[in-house]
Amino acid sequence: MIFSNLKRLPLLSPPFVKLMASSTSLNGGSLSNSSQRLLALAQQLRHYRPPTCSLDDNEEQIMEEAAGKVVSQVGFQESVTPVAKNPEKFRPKRAAVLICLFEGDAGDLRVILTKRSSRLSTHSGEVSLPGGKAEEGDKDDGDTATREAKEEIGLDPSLVNVVTVLEPFLSKHLLRVVPVIGILNDKKAFKPTPNPAEVDAVFDAPLEMFVKDENRSVEEREWMGEKYLLHFFDYEIENKKYLIWGLTAGILIRAASVVYQRPPAFLEQSPKFKFPRVVDNNTVMR
């Protein structure tokens, strides 16, 4: 199944790409030009509404992701999976990740990412977004995402302006992952303190990279007899190289499409999903 991001993007105004074009300071204004652009972006994103899904959040939840963290080799938007049409078949656990955006020194919009600890038994050394499973005390997905970000990288939730959530993704282990977009207005106030048990490094990358056909490679994979594309992004910062792929790349492609109001400059292709014959705690996408 080939699906277009553009069809799901509402008309938001003004487009962030135009907001980023201006670099002059405000005459007599109390906000810097950067702050005003981020404020306009927040207002834009608050109008975004993800596609609805029929899954009942209060149903019994049975699926789990290894170690409770949101990292997976495969992840797809929930609306292109069987969950949306047959919620009684899958009752995945809920998780949230934080897409924390800020304006870089060059005026570009950037996203905070982590490299998982090499000492972890699962997904060690892989790039991910801060996030994890919802806990009983969380009020909503924004609460889950910001709480996990504080635990993982020391990001104070009070610094993050949560503005919207995107359509849920299903991970390889059928964990329901809700991407939460938050804006960090004062990047200098954030001093990363990665939890060494979980995170080896904290870095940032340009969000627009995920809708450009640069630094990207692709592999054709198969899920239950149907072919799909898996996207990989190579990124280097401060002489360190990172590979961003799988669920993390899929979520960032979607986030960049929403923010920049255009589909990626490359083909996205998901499999034609079918129900596995047996669904239990060991069910994964292959």
Side-chain angles (χ1 to χ4, degrees):
M1 177 186 297
I2 298 174
F3 57 93
S4 169
N5 282 324
L6 186 60
K7 293 180 180 179
R8 296 198 186 107
L9 300 185
L11 296 176
L12 305 181
S13 179
F16 185 70
V17 66
K18 294 181 180 179
L19 296 174
M20 297 300 289
S22 172
S23 60
T24 58
S25 60
L26 298 172
N27 293 326
S30 59
L31 291 176
S32 68
N33 199 52
S34 172
S35 297
Q36 191 170 63
R37 286 197 295 267
L38 290 175
L39 180 62
L41 173 62
Q43 293 171 342
Q44 168 190 323
L45 290 175
R46 285 195 183 98
H47 292 288
Y48 175 76
R49 295 294 181 269
T52 58
C53 178
S54 59
L55 184 63
D56 183 355
D57 295 335
N58 295 319
E59 290 182 336
E60 180 186 2
Q61 299 171 328
I62 60 174
M63 297 300 176
E64 295 191 20
E65 176 82 355
K69 293 302 169 185
V70 188
V71 182
S72 179
Q73 296 175 352
V74 180
F76 295 104
Q77 290 158 270
E78 193 169 282
S79 63
V80 300
T81 72
V83 166
K85 295 180 180 179
N86 297 275
E88 72 285 350
K89 190 76 175 183
F90 296 109
R91 298 184 179 92
K93 282 188 175 293
R94 193 179 186 92
V97 293
L98 180 63
I99 304 169
C100 188
L101 305 177
F102 68 94
E103 190 170 347
D105 294 338
D108 58 336
L109 191 63
R110 305 183 71 83
V111 59
I112 295 174
L113 295 165
T114 71
K115 180 181 178 182
R116 283 170 59 82
S117 172
S118 57
R119 292 173 290 179
L120 292 171
S121 59
T122 58
H123 306 291
S124 60
E126 293 187 10
V127 172
S128 66
L129 290 156
K133 287 183 185 175
E135 294 184 357
E136 189 172 346
D138 296 340
K139 294 181 296 184
D140 52 29
D141 296 313
D143 230 24
T144 299
T146 55
R147 173 184 53 75
E148 286 283 344
K150 183 177 182 180
E151 293 175 5
E152 291 181 18
I153 61 176
L155 177 57
D156 187 338
S158 68
L159 296 176
V160 181
N161 179 19
V162 173
V163 291
T164 195
V165 298
L166 303 182
E167 174 185 357
F169 279 63
L170 281 185
S171 77
K172 178 180 179 179
H173 294 263
L174 304 182
L175 182 72
R176 190 186 194 207
V177 182
V178 180
V180 175
I181 296 183
I183 294 176
L184 181 62
N185 289 296
D186 187 1
K187 175 60 167 61
K188 293 180 180 179
F190 170 45
K191 308 296 182 184
T193 53
N195 179 346
E198 298 185 35
V199 176
D200 274 349
V202 181
F203 67 101
D204 54 79
L207 182 67
E208 195 174 13
M209 176 175 73
F210 298 98
V211 287
K212 292 183 175 180
D213 197 11
E214 302 170 7
N215 306 317
R216 187 188 69 91
S217 58
V218 66
E219 287 185 11
E220 189 176 72
R221 298 284 181 92
E222 194 170 289
W223 159 236
M224 298 185 71
E226 297 290 341
K227 293 180 179 179
Y228 65 91
L229 299 179
L230 193 61
H231 303 278
F232 299 77
F233 295 87
D234 289 297
Y235 183 62
E236 183 173 350
I237 185 172
E238 298 178 349
N239 297 317
K240 294 180 180 179
K241 296 182 178 180
Y242 299 97
L243 181 64
I244 306 164
W245 66 294
L247 177 64
T248 299
I251 289 174
L252 290 172
I253 290 169
R254 181 60 185 162
S257 298
V258 169
V259 169
Y260 290 99
Q261 299 185 59
R262 68 177 192 265
F266 49 83
L267 175 67
E268 286 188 276
Q269 183 175 325
S270 67
K272 295 177 182 178
F273 282 88
K274 305 171 186 174
F275 283 119
R277 292 185 178 181
V278 178
V279 179
D280 57 28
N281 288 341
N282 297 315
T283 302
V284 296
M285 288 192 256
R286 299 188 185 279

